[in-house]
Amino acid sequence: MFVVKIGGSKGIDYDAFVRDLAQYRDYVLVHGGSSQLEEIATKLGKPPVFVTSVSGFTSRYTDRETLEIFNMVYAGKMNKMLVEKLQHAGVNAIGLSGLDGRILEGRQKEALKIIENGRKKILRGDLSGIIERVNTQLLKLLLDHGYTPVLTPPAISYEGVAINVDGDRCAAQIAVALKAERLVILSNVPGLLRDPQDPQSVIERVTRDQIEAFIETYARGSMKKKLLAAQEALDGGVKEVLLGGARGEAPLTKTLQGMGTRIC
Amino acid sequence: MFVVKIGGSKGIDYDAFVRDLAQYRDYVLVHGGSSQLEEIATKLGKPPVFVTSVSGFTSRYTDRETLEIFNMVYAGKMNKMLVEKLQHAGVNAIGLSGLDGRILEGRQKEALKIIENGRKKILRGDLSGIIERVNTQLLKLLLDHGYTPVLTPPAISYEGVAINVDGDRCAAQIAVALKAERLVILSNVPGLLRDPQDPQSVIERVTRDQIEAFIETYARGSMKKKLLAAQEALDGGVKEVLLGGARGEAPLTKTLQGMGTRIC
Amino acid sequence: MKRVECPECGSEVELPADVVENEILTCDTCGIELEVVSLNPLKVALAPEEEEDWGE
Amino acid sequence: MKRVECPECGSEVELPADVVENEILTCDTCGIELEVVSLNPLKVALAPEEEEDWGE
């Protein structure tokens, strides 16, 4: 059993990705949709607002209206596009968000510590949070009956409110909960790069205890969260995390064959 | 077991509806989203195009781009809004489109006969169709494990392509497939009206063999399709179809208690 | 006045002067419904059978 | 210069002249993080603890 996370950035050929994925068995697919969200939210007159955490993570400020657009893009457009393509390729896919059957459940962040114009501040009302429970019974029930789950944020808080959670860390939590051997994260970068400007500078191997240091040195933007997700997966018992490129032909197979960064 | 269909038109208080629905057990919810679709499609620069069939039905022309917006509004915004509210009310809802696990499968219409500027024409490339199969195994599997399915178009064609299908007729097919006793359709009109301008002119009782005649005489616009759905449900073994208003407090309970039109 | 042969019964079918592509015509002789598949070259075929069903 | 009492250790905490609502300040005496809950009336409270986790 393995978990694949595919990003939502521009330039990914989802037909090629699905053709590649359809050859495999016994996996759960998790997907993002961030670039689509930005585009559509802006068209709907609600351009995304980003905040920076005290330790440098950047993330979206998710108010109620943004969450509705988030559902439209992630659970609507991206999820059903992938389900349709997988069904067309003969895979009996079933698309679900974390809300459905409480597949991804957790705690809404009470407040966030952010930096705004150089000041440290508390930000409230942000509908984002941390996943603490995965409904593995439902996922196994579906897998055992021949369905391939295609999962997406948002998650649901214990109070039953939708919360925005990071897709990479969703994938890590799902991999841990399902005791998957491997987590593969495919995105618009070919792996962890020594020099972010040089796509050839992929770091091929990272050990568990190098992760914290690499988060500080090499990782930029969302790659920080991918390394954090890798750390959580390994600490939760997943044997191997692979970071590879999502573009072009057979992205999954190439990453499984060693193209990209191997973390274990 | 019964099936409830809630429309997507303006002025429906979904919190009141969910509070009412949460008291019941052993049901499947189907929902629409047409007014939201129009609003959001227009904002995204793709206002809906409507066509009129040779026998007077009006419907949306669904090209590829419209279908993507359709997924965003139905499977994204409306579906996850209802799932979130139901979860918040303690109902373990699971939101699915007809694509997921091929719950709603059928035939894409090869061509449509429409009237355009007074001429009878054939229209191709419309991604709409007819449902011919419902994945009752999946629905029963979920119901038996305590989940409440919240279903929405689109459906999927045998070739694995998403197709736009009418929500009311989806609900009818699901009711027949699950051998439900009752189908309840809640919308922005209090029932079948003798005079469409007079909300007090609800026709309380309609027999099976009056349906065809009433489609011609009393029914306007989408009410024609609701009567067609009622006919299909009754012919498929459903004992009773109720048409009631979706607005205000306890819309389902009021309709079950006789407010609206009873067809059997 | 443009004419075309009815694929069903072979008789001649008159086309309206302002006929458009995909227009449905009825053969007055045998009553079958025809579709103007293309204008140039002028081609007609039996109109597909479809019952009423529409999406949302 | 506005001052306020640190709810943790009771010592006086100086507020920057251009302090804004929800700003985080640190009590120099005990080092605890405080949040400026409101400006008028001026109120501070212990800043909530949150580890790093962000949505999409």
Side-chain angles (χ1 to χ4, degrees):
Chain A
M1 147 68 67
F2 64 100
V3 174
V4 189
K5 160 75 174 19
I6 182 89
S9 52
K10 287 229 167 358
I12 294 176
D13 177 348
Y14 288 102
D15 288 310
F17 168 66
V18 164
R19 268 196 307 276
D20 189 19
L21 184 60
Q23 307 157 60
Y24 294 86
R25 292 289 165 273
D26 199 19
Y27 59 84
V28 168
L29 175 62
V30 180
H31 68 82
S34 45
S35 76
Q36 290 283 332
L37 179 58
E38 250 125 80
E39 197 188 304
I40 289 167
T42 308
K43 268 192 197 164
L44 293 175
K46 179 80 187 160
V49 170
F50 283 92
V51 291
T52 310
S53 83
V54 283
S55 52
F57 285 99
T58 59
S59 194
R60 184 184 317 285
Y61 177 66
T62 311
D63 58 16
R64 194 66 223 172
E65 210 188 328
T66 306
L67 199 69
E68 264 178 28
I69 302 171
F70 188 99
N71 280 338
M72 287 166 58
V73 174
Y74 282 67
K77 180 169 185 175
M78 293 298 293
N79 191 263
K80 300 318 169 195
M81 175 271 287
L82 285 166
V83 167
E84 183 186 19
K85 288 186 189 302
L86 283 164
Q87 288 283 357
H88 191 65
V91 177
N92 200 352
I94 180 166
L96 298 158
S97 77
L99 294 165
D100 299 300
R102 292 180 175 262
I103 288 179
L104 301 174
E105 196 171 19
R107 202 160 43 80
Q108 180 182 345
K109 292 290 290 286
E110 189 218 328
L112 309 177
K113 282 184 206 164
I114 62 166
I115 296 179
E116 201 178 70
N117 317 329
R119 286 172 193 267
K120 266 171 79 175
K121 284 186 65 177
I122 294 288
L123 175 66
R124 285 197 170 71
D126 179 38
L127 294 168
S128 72
I130 305 169
I131 307 164
E132 293 174 338
R133 276 212 335 240
V134 176
N135 185 347
T136 43
Q137 292 77 9
L138 177 55
L139 291 178
K140 285 181 180 148
L141 183 70
L142 295 171
L143 286 160
D144 294 348
H145 284 78
Y147 297 102
T148 297
V150 178
L151 305 178
T152 179
I156 189 164
S157 71
Y158 298 115
E159 298 79 23
V161 170
I163 47 176
N164 177 359
V165 289
D166 176 64
D168 296 318
R169 298 179 76 172
C170 275
Q173 298 276 343
I174 292 163
V176 169
L178 289 174
K179 298 189 174 36
E181 291 87 45
R182 183 175 295 123
L183 166 64
V184 184
I185 301 180
L186 303 175
S187 70
N188 54 351
V189 281
L192 178 60
L193 300 175
R194 204 170 292 284
D195 165 10
Q197 309 314 329
D198 174 7
Q200 308 303 331
S201 69
V202 176
I203 300 171
E204 287 186 5
R205 183 77 168 69
V206 175
T207 61
R208 164 64 190 83
D209 35 40
Q210 288 175 312
I211 295 178
E212 275 88 1
F214 280 25
I215 287 181
E216 296 316 320
T217 49
Y218 298 116
R220 294 285 178 294
S222 66
M223 183 52 82
K224 283 183 192 265
K225 281 191 260 179
K226 290 187 198 313
L227 289 179
L228 211 56
Q231 185 178 304
E232 283 166 359
L234 295 178
D235 294 353
V238 176
K239 294 199 185 40
E240 187 182 64
V241 178
L242 303 177
L243 308 180
R247 294 197 177 128
E249 277 305 317
L252 173 60
T253 300
K254 282 178 188 157
T255 304
L256 289 170
Q257 290 170 348
M259 278 181 68
T261 303
R262 188 161 164 270
I263 310 172
C264 55
Chain B
M1 148 68 67
F2 64 100
V3 174
V4 188
K5 160 75 174 17
I6 182 89
S9 52
K10 286 224 171 354
I12 295 176
D13 176 349
Y14 288 103
D15 288 309
F17 168 65
V18 164
R19 268 196 308 277
D20 188 19
L21 185 60
Q23 309 157 57
Y24 294 87
R25 291 290 165 274
D26 198 17
Y27 59 83
V28 168
L29 174 61
V30 180
H31 69 82
S34 44
S35 76
Q36 291 284 329
L37 179 59
E38 250 128 79
E39 199 187 304
I40 289 167
T42 309
K43 270 192 196 165
L44 292 175
K46 178 81 185 156
V49 170
F50 283 91
V51 292
T52 310
S53 83
V54 284
S55 53
F57 284 98
T58 58
S59 191
R60 185 183 318 283
Y61 177 66
T62 312
D63 58 16
R64 193 66 220 169
E65 210 189 329
T66 306
L67 199 70
E68 266 178 26
I69 301 172
F70 188 99
N71 279 339
M72 287 166 58
V73 174
Y74 281 68
K77 181 169 183 174
M78 293 298 293
N79 191 262
K80 300 319 170 194
M81 174 271 288
L82 285 166
V83 167
E84 182 185 20
K85 288 187 190 300
L86 283 164
Q87 288 284 355
H88 190 65
V91 177
N92 201 351
I94 181 166
L96 298 158
S97 75
L99 294 167
D100 300 300
R102 292 180 176 262
I103 288 178
L104 301 174
E105 196 171 16
R107 200 160 43 80
Q108 181 182 344
K109 292 290 289 284
E110 187 217 330
L112 309 177
K113 282 186 205 162
I114 62 166
I115 295 179
E116 200 179 71
N117 318 330
R119 287 171 193 266
K120 267 169 81 175
K121 283 185 66 174
I122 293 289
L123 176 66
R124 285 198 168 71
D126 178 36
L127 294 167
S128 73
I130 305 170
I131 307 165
E132 293 173 339
R133 272 206 345 231
V134 176
N135 185 347
T136 44
Q137 292 77 7
L138 177 54
L139 291 178
K140 284 183 182 148
L141 183 69
L142 296 171
L143 286 160
D144 293 349
H145 284 78
Y147 297 101
T148 297
V150 178
L151 305 179
T152 179
I156 190 164
S157 70
Y158 297 117
E159 299 78 23
V161 169
I163 48 177
N164 176 359
V165 288
D166 177 64
D168 295 318
R169 298 179 78 173
C170 275
Q173 299 276 343
I174 292 164
V176 168
L178 289 175
K179 299 188 174 34
E181 291 87 42
R182 183 175 295 123
L183 166 64
V184 184
I185 301 180
L186 303 175
S187 69
N188 53 352
V189 282
L192 177 61
L193 300 175
R194 203 170 293 284
D195 164 10
Q197 309 315 328
D198 174 8
Q200 308 302 331
S201 69
V202 176
I203 300 172
E204 287 186 6
R205 183 76 170 69
V206 176
T207 62
R208 164 65 190 82
D209 36 39
Q210 287 175 312
I211 294 178
E212 275 89 2
F214 280 26
I215 287 182
E216 295 317 319
T217 49
Y218 297 116
R220 294 284 178 292
S222 65
M223 183 52 81
K224 283 182 191 265
K225 280 192 258 178
K226 292 188 198 309
L227 289 179
L228 213 56
Q231 185 177 302
E232 282 166 0
L234 296 177
D235 293 354
V238 176
K239 292 197 187 42
E240 188 182 64
V241 178
L242 303 177
L243 308 180
R247 294 199 177 127
E249 278 304 318
L252 172 61
T253 300
K254 284 178 188 156
T255 304
L256 288 171
Q257 290 170 345
M259 279 181 69
T261 303
R262 188 161 163 269
I263 310 173
C264 55
Chain C
M1 180 63 80
K2 280 180 240 150
R3 294 175 203 290
V4 72
E5 204 192 281
C6 169
E8 180 73 5
C9 70
S11 57
E12 271 200 348
V13 179
E14 279 177 22
L15 304 180
D18 58 356
V19 67
V20 293
E21 208 169 58
N22 302 119
E23 188 166 349
I24 300 174
L25 305 172
T26 311
C27 167
D28 300 334
T29 318
C30 68
I32 195 92
E33 278 197 332
L34 302 173
E35 180 195 355
V36 179
V37 177
S38 65
L39 286 173
N40 23 46
L42 181 58
K43 244 183 79 195
V44 290
L46 297 187
E49 270 314 309
E50 281 303 344
E51 337 83 282
E52 285 310 324
D53 179 51
W54 298 92
E56 278 283 296
Chain D
M1 181 62 80
K2 283 181 238 149
R3 296 179 200 294
V4 71
E5 203 193 283
C6 169
E8 181 72 5
C9 69
S11 57
E12 268 199 350
V13 179
E14 277 177 25
L15 304 181
D18 57 356
V19 67
V20 293
E21 207 170 58
N22 302 120
E23 188 166 348
I24 300 175
L25 304 171
T26 310
C27 167
D28 301 334
T29 319
C30 70
I32 196 94
E33 278 196 332
L34 302 173
E35 180 194 356
V36 179
V37 177
S38 62
L39 287 173
N40 27 46
L42 181 60
K43 243 181 83 195
V44 290
L46 297 186
E49 268 315 309
E50 281 304 343
E51 337 84 282
E52 285 310 322
D53 178 52
W54 299 93
E56 277 284 294

